[in-house]
Amino acid sequence: MTFILPPLPYPENALEPAISERTVHFHHDKHEAAYIDNTNKLIVGTRFENDDLETIVKHSEGSLFNNAAQAWNHIFYFNQFSAQKGMTPEGNILKDIKKNWGSFEQFKEDFVSIGASQFGSGWVWLIKNKKNDLEIIKTANAATPLTLDGCKPLLTFDVWEHAYYLDYQNRRDDALKALWNIIDWRVIEKRHD
Ligand code: MN
């Protein structure tokens, strides 16, 4: 199948000041678009030609894995934000966060610190592991928890420099902290339930 770049569920300037319109534009229309284009090119003539993106991510390797996984990670990333600022978790997701980290504040601190400590490019994730417990993990480059057994990704911050360098330069920590203000916790809760 041919994959298309999904449109953003908000205008490109909707995430300011956490993420500038310029960064959203380059990140979505250039970086994410390139991963999707490359995936389309790389599946031609392979056994993956008729598979959906998740199947390709779970079963491919090398360049195809890198591009398909980055396509999947970016779709997942951009779908979790909202033009509505300052939302906070509620219901079951909040209950589980408090169970693991004591408070939402402590969870945010741990999440950012694990993301900031990823050496080089990658992602930091909130996942539900196979024991049904919440956990924060980091992955390098294109690696994604989608390939981990029984693991359900709930939330992710992109720590590749292209995600923040135009706005924050070397201040990855500040770039990550700013994202809490634009998370759509209704999306995270749906992924969690
Ligand atoms: Mn990215």
Side-chain angles (χ1 to χ4, degrees):
M1 60 195 282
T2 303
F3 300 104
I4 53 153
L5 177 67
L8 293 167
Y10 38 76
E12 287 191 342
N13 65 359
L15 306 182
E16 293 196 342
I19 314 177
S20 70
E21 179 174 6
R22 192 158 177 252
T23 291
V24 171
H25 178 71
F26 276 97
H27 200 181
H28 177 262
D29 291 17
K30 306 293 180 191
H31 290 277
E32 182 180 334
Y35 294 126
I36 291 174
D37 281 353
N38 289 335
T39 301
N40 285 327
K41 286 179 191 149
L42 289 165
I43 55 175
V44 174
T46 72
R47 68 183 173 98
F48 298 107
E49 258 178 338
N50 299 312
D51 286 330
D52 61 21
L53 195 54
E54 288 200 9
T55 306
I56 298 172
V57 172
K58 285 178 181 170
H59 301 285
S60 62
E61 49 190 33
S63 289
L64 177 55
F65 170 79
N66 286 335
N67 283 282
Q70 281 293 79
W72 191 90
N73 291 346
H74 282 88
I75 294 167
F76 188 83
Y77 173 78
F78 280 115
N79 277 339
Q80 72 191 358
F81 297 129
S82 168
Q84 190 187 326
K85 308 286 157 59
M87 291 177 64
T88 52
E90 291 169 19
N92 287 334
I93 181 89
L94 179 63
K95 206 172 75 189
D96 283 359
I97 285 173
K98 282 185 172 164
K99 193 172 84 184
N100 271 39
W101 291 278
S103 68
F104 180 46
E105 288 310 311
Q106 187 62 50
F107 160 72
K108 289 194 289 186
E109 204 175 295
D110 286 7
F111 193 88
V112 166
S113 119
I114 289 169
S117 73
Q118 166 61 23
F119 188 79
S121 296
W123 301 79
V124 54
W125 305 83
L126 174 65
I127 60 151
K128 200 194 265 189
N129 65 26
K130 63 179 170 191
K131 286 189 257 165
N132 244 9
D133 288 327
L134 296 190
E135 197 181 326
I136 302 169
I137 63 166
K138 55 186 176 178
T139 59
N141 302 316
T144 173
L146 203 57
T147 60
L148 302 175
D149 183 36
C151 170
K152 194 174 179 191
L154 305 177
L155 166 81
T156 191
F157 288 180
D158 186 343
V159 304
W160 285 58
E161 283 187 344
H162 70 220
Y164 61 85
Y165 213 82
L166 291 174
D167 301 336
Y168 297 88
Q169 295 79 46
N170 61 317
R171 292 176 292 118
R172 184 191 275 181
D173 206 64
D174 290 342
L176 299 185
K177 280 182 198 155
L179 298 179
W180 296 121
N181 201 34
I182 53 171
I183 297 297
D184 188 338
W185 283 96
R186 290 165 303 192
V187 171
I188 313 305
E189 209 164 296
K190 266 191 211 130
R191 291 169 176 174
H192 171 269
D193 289 334

